[in-house]
Amino acid sequence: MANAVLWPVLAPIATAGLAALFWNFRKTQKAVSCAGTLLTFAAGLYLLARVDAEGVVAVQFGAWAAPFGITFVADRLAAAMAAITGLMALATMIFGAADIRRREERAGFHPLFHGMLAGVNGAFLTGDIFNLYVWFEIMLITAMGLLAIGRTRAQLDGVFKYAVLNLFSTLLFLLAVGMLYGVAGSLNMADIALRLREQEPSLTLVIVGVLLFCGFGIKAGYFPLFFWLPASYHTASVTVAAIFAGLLTKVGVYACFRVFTLVLPMETSGLAPVMAFIAAGTMLFGVFGAAVQWDVRRILAFHIVSQIGYMLLGLALATPAALAGGIFYIVHHIIVKANLFLLAGAIHRGSGSFDLRKGGGLLKSHPALAVLFLIPALSLGGIPPLSGFWAKFMVIDASLDAGAWWLAGLALFVGLLTLYSMSKIWAEGFWKPAPQWHRRRRTIPPAFYAAIALLAGLTVVIGLFAQPFVAYAQAAGQQLADPTPYIETVLGMRLG
């Protein structure tokens, strides 16, 4: 189908509309939501297969040729992100069957959830930088609704912090888009890239690059603008926190990868040393923040920050190998981090508390949960043969090849501290005997186990059969390093 690139966005939009239509019919709304989630996942997989077989795929709205019309375009990176979005939606929907309360469904969970998926996939697939802003706003509005859906004081406080920083990042983004349009005279990213090739570097473009990096960095949770993330994510329900942890920050990371390889390449933007420094700070401050926490959700929230530093490191180096490592790391981290937040919900159900000091005994009472926890926990720390080992190996190996020895050493050090945080959760939540007042065995719903096992199994599969995933990431990294096929497909022309 020629319009395969549209379906990962159209499916959740249609689902959100139907779910809103059946607002007063909870069971029907839930059935529509589940069917829409499956359709979104299938659309992402189909697009991934098309791009893998045919290369870059693009579609122009209203038969207006680029750069005048709105363009949707999928290369290997965008297609992989759309597919993984569908997978995360499926896993969290399975988990949410036993976690989302009726009052949250009556408050609009399902329309908001699918609206957010549409915003996320729209950001991944748009070929227009202004429409990237539009999809960011759709994602922000629906995310705020999901964050505050329980209407507790903590959630309202969290959504306020989330909104203020993200709205500030939006202002920076819009200012940069306006300046970029003034320089290039276009909003189509492929067309901008082609026009800027003919221009000399200027102070205006440097300012645009800084504004875009700051705007995307706030959304992604880079150092030093990450503090809103651990202050807000732990207030959401576990289902919402898991999809947030897996996807929302990665939209900012994706935007950085897209803009700073296509529109303002690293070799001309002059931001590479700054990005390397910020990547180091993001890794360090995130992992140190996690080390001093006791609430399992706060530990995991700080680790979102820490692990994003590895992805930014791949972009800072900007070699094909480093970009491939960054892409592999993004996919690995989406799966593992979402799974760890789902496990946090299961730990809460099993022990009665998110505070590790108040829990314990889960190894004895829920041994299957203990095994399922070890898989993503060890993968996050980079233990072979799980997916995290290959992700860290690719990024660190690219750092060594580029001569960035200090960054490679820092990445290894942060990996060790990550293992410390995961061992802390293991020791306090699983190994330590349960407190006297928590000796009663608590039931964990089967839906929790199903969602967690699905993502844990994928982590193992990627680790044990890494070659095709690594090969795909390397091909995607090569596409980012040389965006000529992307530009040619969008503009329908051959370059020199």
Side-chain angles (χ1 to χ4, degrees):
M1 294 175 64
N3 294 328
V5 70
L6 302 179
W7 286 110
V9 179
L10 293 179
I13 288 177
T15 305
L18 285 173
L21 185 65
F22 293 108
W23 193 288
N24 295 320
F25 304 92
R26 193 180 66 86
K27 290 184 178 180
T28 305
Q29 185 188 62
K30 199 169 184 177
V32 166
S33 182
C34 291
T37 302
L38 288 171
L39 184 60
T40 301
F41 182 39
L45 288 180
Y46 179 69
L47 177 61
L48 183 69
R50 282 287 305 274
V51 170
D52 189 42
E54 302 175 15
V56 182
V57 176
V59 64
Q60 317 292 340
F61 281 74
W64 285 85
F68 306 105
I70 295 174
T71 301
F72 266 33
V73 55
D75 59 359
R76 286 179 175 271
L77 173 59
M81 298 304 287
I84 203 71
T85 297
L87 175 65
M88 290 303 101
L90 178 62
T92 51
M93 188 59 70
I94 292 170
F95 187 94
D99 181 60
I100 298 300
R101 301 170 184 173
R102 289 190 178 186
R103 64 185 178 88
E104 292 173 335
E105 290 181 323
R106 288 196 295 268
F109 170 81
H110 294 290
L112 289 170
F113 181 81
H114 290 280
M116 187 195 70
L117 293 179
V120 169
N121 276 337
F124 291 149
L125 297 171
T126 185
D128 183 290
I129 197 163
F130 181 79
N131 280 299
L132 179 60
Y133 153 75
V134 173
W135 291 115
F136 268 11
E137 291 308 290
I138 293 172
M139 183 182 72
L140 174 63
I141 292 168
T142 51
M144 286 193 298
L146 289 170
L147 194 59
I149 202 165
R151 290 169 286 184
T152 65
R153 183 185 297 272
Q155 286 181 345
L156 294 176
D157 178 66
V159 78
F160 177 77
K161 295 171 182 175
Y162 179 83
V164 168
L165 265 295
N166 278 272
L167 287 174
F168 177 65
S169 75
T170 296
L171 291 176
L172 297 178
F173 185 15
L174 273 180
L175 181 59
V177 169
M179 295 176 68
L180 190 59
Y181 182 75
V183 172
S186 178
L187 293 171
N188 183 285
M189 288 189 281
D191 190 46
I192 294 172
L194 191 60
R195 295 186 185 206
L196 292 185
R197 285 184 179 184
E198 303 168 358
Q199 296 189 20
E200 293 294 323
S202 66
L203 178 61
T204 301
L205 289 178
V206 171
I207 294 172
V208 168
V210 171
L211 289 174
L212 288 173
F213 183 64
C214 291
F216 297 151
I218 291 173
K219 294 182 182 297
Y222 294 160
F223 167 82
L225 300 171
F226 62 83
F227 55 86
W228 62 269
L229 194 155
S232 59
Y233 274 26
H234 75 284
T235 64
S237 69
V238 173
T239 301
V240 171
I243 197 75
F244 278 22
L247 291 178
L248 292 199
T249 53
K250 309 312 179 298
V251 178
V253 174
Y254 169 86
C256 279
F257 270 72
R258 178 64 64 205
V259 167
F260 291 110
T261 57
L262 176 63
V263 179
L264 297 169
M266 293 300 299
E267 60 268 19
T268 60
S269 68
L271 290 175
V274 177
M275 283 194 184
F277 173 76
I278 291 178
T282 303
M283 286 190 283
L284 277 176
F285 279 84
V287 80
F288 283 142
V292 299
Q293 301 297 321
W294 288 98
D295 186 308
V296 64
R297 297 166 301 175
R298 284 184 177 271
I299 293 174
L300 297 177
F302 273 102
H303 274 304
I304 296 174
V305 176
S306 173
Q307 301 298 301
I308 283 173
Y310 287 90
M311 305 168 204
L312 184 58
L313 175 57
L315 179 59
L317 297 173
T319 63
L323 292 170
I327 291 167
F328 192 99
Y329 212 106
I330 291 170
V331 174
H332 140 76
H333 188 257
I334 288 173
I335 297 168
V336 166
K337 183 54 64 175
N339 201 13
L340 284 168
F341 267 89
L342 297 183
L343 278 155
I347 289 171
H348 177 259
R349 284 292 183 97
S351 66
S353 177
F354 287 109
D355 191 329
L356 294 174
R357 292 167 295 189
K358 298 178 181 178
L362 290 175
L363 177 60
K364 182 178 180 180
S365 61
H366 298 87
L369 183 67
V371 174
L372 290 172
F373 169 78
L374 283 176
I375 293 171
L378 294 176
S379 183
L380 192 72
I383 299 300
L386 301 169
S387 62
F389 168 76
W390 299 108
K392 282 186 170 59
F393 175 82
M394 291 176 71
V395 172
I396 293 171
D397 184 57
S399 301
L400 294 174
D401 286 344
W405 295 87
W406 71 278
L407 286 172
L410 181 63
L412 288 170
F413 174 68
V414 170
L416 291 175
L417 291 181
T418 301
L419 280 175
Y420 165 75
S421 293
M422 293 299 104
S423 65
K424 179 177 174 180
I425 297 175
W426 171 262
E428 296 291 331
F430 291 89
W431 188 263
K432 182 184 71 179
Q436 190 64 40
W437 57 88
H438 281 172
R439 291 296 170 87
R440 179 176 61 87
R441 188 180 189 277
R442 298 169 181 265
T443 302
I444 297 176
F448 283 23
Y449 281 109
I452 292 167
L454 170 65
L455 297 182
L458 188 56
T459 301
V460 173
V461 168
I462 294 174
L464 293 179
F465 306 97
Q467 196 280 329
F469 298 97
V470 171
Y472 187 95
Q474 289 173 336
Q478 188 60 50
Q479 278 188 339
L480 291 183
D482 178 18
T484 300
Y486 183 104
I487 297 171
E488 291 178 340
T489 302
V490 172
L491 300 181
M493 59 184 290
R494 281 285 175 187
L495 301 181

